[in-house]
Amino acid sequence: DFLNDSGGKMSLILRAYDDGVAYRYRIHGTGQDQDTVANEASSFRIPAASQGWFARYTQPHYEWYYDAHTKLAGIDYEVAVPALFRTPSGYWVYVTEAAVDGTYTGARLRFQEAKGEVLIFHLPEQPSSTLPWITPWRVAIIGKHLGTLVESTLVLNLNPPSEIAETSWIKPGVDVIPWMTGPSTN
């Protein structure tokens, strides 16, 4: 727990798992208090010589542009969440968010240093909410093999349970997602 000069309290909540780590913030207060987050300084340190696979954050179709990067130095644009990295020592690192519920802005990633080592969570806007307030989880899934990332339930474990009580109506089936088939020809 941390206190500011005016007595405002914030907690850093940490979780460690066999396949990764996560952290989030709780801004304390009563239901009468309102607060605004001016900026966030959350980050993960990714070794500078790592390779990366991530998308430049753009609208509206950022999913299509996941590029491979042989070096992280010099990347000066916002990166979409999630992002994947392979460190020089052979570890895979998947950086993402969990428990994004609409009360806090979704983050973008940005390399803070010219050499491309510190990956910060950048807020595109200044969210406001009634207190108490809990931010989304900042998550890094880490493994020696890609299978560790694929098989991980870390994000599932960090998200709240489904609010759908009765699920018998949900059936597997076929669906077409137009944005996956390419640009619209209209």
Side-chain angles (χ1 to χ4, degrees), residues 161-171:
S162 174
E163 294 179 5
I164 302 172
E166 208 289 286
T167 59
S168 65
W169 57 272
I170 301 172
K171 305 286 185 212

Side-chain angles (χ1 to χ4, degrees), residues 8 18 20 22 42 49 66 73 76 102 120 132-133 143-144 150 153 162:
D18 290 341
S42 301
Y66 274 74
D76 62 352
I120 63 168
W133 195 11
K144 192 70 173 170
V150 172
T153 59
S162 174

Side-chain angles (χ1 to χ4, degrees), residues 14-137:
L14 302 166
R15 288 195 183 170
Y17 297 85
D18 290 341
D19 58 351
V21 295
Y23 61 93
R24 74 188 319 184
Y25 306 99
R26 177 181 173 88
I27 304 168
H28 296 266
T30 66
Q32 310 299 83
D33 300 328
Q34 181 89 8
D35 203 0
T36 299
V37 174
N39 199 2
E40 184 176 328
S42 301
S43 64
F44 285 108
R45 184 171 294 277
I46 305 294
S50 298
Q51 294 174 287
W53 292 265
F54 46 83
R56 177 187 295 257
Y57 185 88
T58 60
Q59 285 290 348
H61 301 292
Y62 60 87
E63 292 95 343
W64 294 350
Y65 304 108
Y66 274 74
D67 296 318
H69 300 272
T70 56
K71 62 179 184 168
L72 305 180
I75 296 172
D76 62 352
Y77 52 82
E78 290 181 330
V79 172
V81 176
L84 176 65
F85 302 93
R86 178 150 175 126
T87 68
S89 60
Y91 281 88
W92 292 93
V93 181
Y94 184 75
V95 176
T96 191
E97 297 177 292
V100 180
D101 64 5
T103 63
Y104 196 81
T105 186
R108 299 170 190 166
L109 301 170
R110 201 166 178 93
F111 291 97
Q112 188 176 33
E113 298 175 351
K115 61 184 178 178
E117 246 182 16
V118 177
L119 185 64
I120 63 168
F121 284 86
H122 169 69
L123 301 181
E125 53 199 43
Q126 296 180 338
S128 293
S129 184
T130 302
L131 301 179
W133 195 11
I134 297 178
T135 68
W137 289 101

